[in-house]
Amino acid sequence: DYKGQKLAEQIFQGIILVSAVIGFIYGYITEQFGWTVYIVMAGFALSCLLTLPPWPMYRRNPLKWLPVQDSGTEEKKAADRKPKRHAKS
């Protein structure tokens, strides 16, 4: 559903943003860029774990699909059609 997709996107962006800020601050304090990368990667992994599987919190508003049409009516309609004749040139 669309509300679940919106929620997943907000969670993903929030975790990435927070981990980037924390990683930047920690990396700046320790003067190690590697820690910044590790923290951002950990935030990415956490956000993937929370947003990629189809958790029930993302499926609260299911979409209503159109009902299935009987396939026999389509075959009948195709049989009723006359073949088109092409103009001779």
Side-chain angles (χ1 to χ4, degrees), residues 12-72:
F12 178 78
Q13 289 180 356
I15 291 173
I16 294 294
L17 180 66
V18 168
S19 68
V21 169
I22 291 171
F24 178 77
I25 292 171
Y26 188 76
Y28 184 78
I29 290 171
T30 61
E31 297 180 2
Q32 292 289 321
F33 182 71
W35 279 106
T36 301
V37 173
Y38 293 144
I39 292 172
V40 171
M41 287 173 49
F44 177 75
L46 177 65
S47 66
C48 286
L49 180 70
L50 291 176
T51 58
L52 290 179
W55 298 108
M57 64 183 171
Y58 303 129
R59 297 183 290 161
R60 291 184 181 163
N61 304 303
L63 298 175
K64 291 184 176 44
W65 295 88
L66 294 175
V68 177
Q69 295 180 353
D70 185 23
S71 62

